[in-house]
């Protein structure tokens, strides 16, 4: 991982408004001068002992002793490491972070990763637009409606529909992505017959999946009707390592940080249904068996996990 430029770290800290960021997690009220007060997001309390000094850009809780600058706050509240917190904040305030010089090989890999994430983001947008308005997505809308997922749920989880053939490929090529980038992202595959590109996902309901920083790193796609396989997932790419990523963890990690156990379920729709029902710590694997790597990732956020698998053969196997 490239090192973030030190000057940018300082500049970003000066640019960001700590009161604005903290207000996303607790309600702050001015209590004279540059001091703001609110209920502490890190321990439960009834009277506010959490303070933010907007001039010095620092926070401190007189109840639990938690304190620091905006990076400490984001690391703690979003469960991120330092570079992750800086990147999170940069995205939030629209700041372009510079990275220290990398070796040519590193630079190439890192540039490709950024292109894959950008292609995934564009694809997620295309799939979501298709689901919301394309006439051929009516079966997909009916399927989701049958699950109790209305338009608002579809918006919140950026659910989509892949119209298929090569509609996504055509769209992304005209948006400036190269054939190599689309293949590396597993958004398109090459026909063995004539070498032309076709969309990886065709005629399927789409579930975008995110990394801990909130980037779209891959997709799960459910067949409509009897098409096989029932679920098709993006294959492994430089940004999508299925043995270490879990669907829903980007949203679940804050609740886990407050001490709630992880609820590990089997599929995308289970995760969505539980979150929508108020169980904010539900996660699932991205179509692979639950393994050691998943527990290592979960252990960073919680010490307890509840497994909720179907009582069928596959479910029992996974639970083992
Ligand atoms: Zn506190």
């Amino acid at each position: 991982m490239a090192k973030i430029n030190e000057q940018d770290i300082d500049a970003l800290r000066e640019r960001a408004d700590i009161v604005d960021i903290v207000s996303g997690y607790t309600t702050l009220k001015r209590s004279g001068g540059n001091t703001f007060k609110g209920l502490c997001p890190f321990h439960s309390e009834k009277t506010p002992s959490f303070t933010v000094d907007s001039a010095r850009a620092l926070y401190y809780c007189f109840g639990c002793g938690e304190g620091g600058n905006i990076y400490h706050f984001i690391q703690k509240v979003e469960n991120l490491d330092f570079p992750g917190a800086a990147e999170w904040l940069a995205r939030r305030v629209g700041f372009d972070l510079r990275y220290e010089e990398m070796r040519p090989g590193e630079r190439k890999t890192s540039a490709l990763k950024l292109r894959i994430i950008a292609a995934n983001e564009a694809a997620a947008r295309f799939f979501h637009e298709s689901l919301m308005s394309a006439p051929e997505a009516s079966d997909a809308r009916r399927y989701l409606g049958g699950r109790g997922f209305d338009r608002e749920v579809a918006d919140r989880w950026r659910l989509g529909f892949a119209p298929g053939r090569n509609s996504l490929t055509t769209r992304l090529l005209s948006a400036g992505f190269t054939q190599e980038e689309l293949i590396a992202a597993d958004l398109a595959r090459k026909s063995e017959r004539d070498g032309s590109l076709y969309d990886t996902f065709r005629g399927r309901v789409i579930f975008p999946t995110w990394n801990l920083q909130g980037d779209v790193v891959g997709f799960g796609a459910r067949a409509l009707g009897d098409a096989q396989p029932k679920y098709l997932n993006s294959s492994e790419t430089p940004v999508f390592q299925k043995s270490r990523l879990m669907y829903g963890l980007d949203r679940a990690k804050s609740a886990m940080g407050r001490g709630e156990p992880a609820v590990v379920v089997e599929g995308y729709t289970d995760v969505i249904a539980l979150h929508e029902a108020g169980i904010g710590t539900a996660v699932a694997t991205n179509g692979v068996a639950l393994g050691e790597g998943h527990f290592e990732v979960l252990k960073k956020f919680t010490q307890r996990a509840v497994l909720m698998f179907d009582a069928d053969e596959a479910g029992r196997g996974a639970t083992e």
Side-chain angles (χ1 to χ4, degrees):
M1 189 62 201
K3 207 168 153 294
I4 300 169
N5 179 292
E6 294 285 343
Q7 288 166 346
D8 280 5
I9 287 170
D10 293 338
L12 173 59
R13 188 173 50 210
E14 279 165 32
R15 167 91 67 89
D17 178 355
I18 190 168
V19 172
D20 182 48
I21 296 294
V22 171
S23 294
Y25 302 89
T26 183
T27 306
L28 292 175
K29 289 204 174 85
R30 192 184 284 272
S31 73
N34 300 313
T35 309
F36 292 76
K37 256 189 156 179
L39 293 173
C40 178
F42 304 119
H43 83 278
S44 74
E45 59 177 6
K46 296 228 164 57
T47 46
S49 46
F50 183 85
T51 60
V52 177
D53 182 328
S54 63
R56 293 163 64 218
L58 296 172
Y59 69 98
Y60 183 74
C61 174
F62 290 93
C64 66
E66 203 45 66
N69 65 27
I70 193 164
Y71 293 125
H72 299 123
F73 182 82
I74 295 165
Q75 280 179 257
K76 179 90 184 163
V77 79
E78 287 289 329
N79 257 312
L80 293 169
D81 57 13
F82 178 76
E87 283 164 357
W88 184 97
L89 184 60
R91 251 200 307 271
R92 195 63 181 263
V93 304
F95 186 100
D96 277 328
L97 286 173
R98 288 169 297 169
Y99 292 82
E100 300 297 351
E101 271 311 296
M102 291 178 270
R103 289 193 299 275
E106 280 178 343
R107 196 179 309 141
K108 211 172 147 201
T109 317
S110 150
L112 177 63
K113 282 185 181 177
L114 288 176
R115 291 297 287 167
I116 292 176
I117 285 172
N120 283 341
E121 176 59 35
R125 218 175 306 134
F126 172 76
F127 291 144
H128 186 61
E129 279 167 23
S130 303
L131 176 71
M132 297 317 237
S133 54
E136 66 264 42
S138 59
D139 283 351
R141 289 191 290 267
R142 202 170 309 123
Y143 164 77
L144 291 170
R147 289 257 162 185
F149 299 164
D150 58 15
R151 293 183 77 89
E152 282 169 23
V153 174
D155 272 337
R156 270 199 287 282
W157 293 85
R158 301 187 70 190
L159 304 180
F161 174 69
R165 296 266 278 263
N166 55 5
S167 52
L168 175 70
T169 302
T170 308
R171 166 80 72 105
L172 294 186
L173 288 175
S174 69
F177 292 98
T178 65
Q179 296 204 0
E180 291 68 31
E181 286 164 352
L182 298 190
I183 291 169
D186 195 28
L187 289 168
R189 294 178 181 176
K190 201 171 221 163
S191 157
E192 302 218 340
R193 194 163 37 82
D194 60 4
S196 64
L197 289 194
Y198 61 90
D199 293 0
T200 301
F201 304 113
R202 301 177 302 281
R204 286 171 177 265
V205 176
I206 297 287
F207 300 85
T209 181
W210 296 268
N211 63 13
L212 291 179
Q213 286 77 45
D215 304 313
V216 180
V217 290
F219 299 92
R222 190 192 191 283
L224 290 162
D226 300 329
Q228 292 294 327
K230 192 164 151 197
Y231 276 95
L232 178 66
N233 296 282
S234 304
S235 42
E236 299 255 327
T237 74
V239 303
F240 193 42
Q241 275 107 36
K242 295 184 208 176
S243 63
R244 301 194 61 83
L245 280 167
M246 297 196 84
Y247 181 67
L249 186 55
D250 55 308
R251 298 164 193 245
K253 64 188 165 117
S254 299
M256 287 180 197
R258 289 195 296 271
E260 295 170 33
V263 177
V264 184
V265 291
E266 272 185 291
Y268 304 109
T269 53
D270 300 329
V271 171
I272 297 174
L274 284 173
H275 277 255
E276 293 296 325
I279 315 286
T281 60
V283 293
T285 66
N286 290 287
V288 294
L290 187 62
E292 201 59 44
H294 299 118
F295 285 110
E296 275 170 30
V297 176
L298 282 179
K299 259 195 311 212
K300 285 202 265 177
F301 305 110
T302 181
Q303 297 303 309
R304 289 183 300 150
V306 177
L307 306 188
M308 260 179 54
F309 283 1
D310 289 346
D312 62 9
E313 203 59 45
R316 266 199 303 279
T319 311
E320 292 287 334

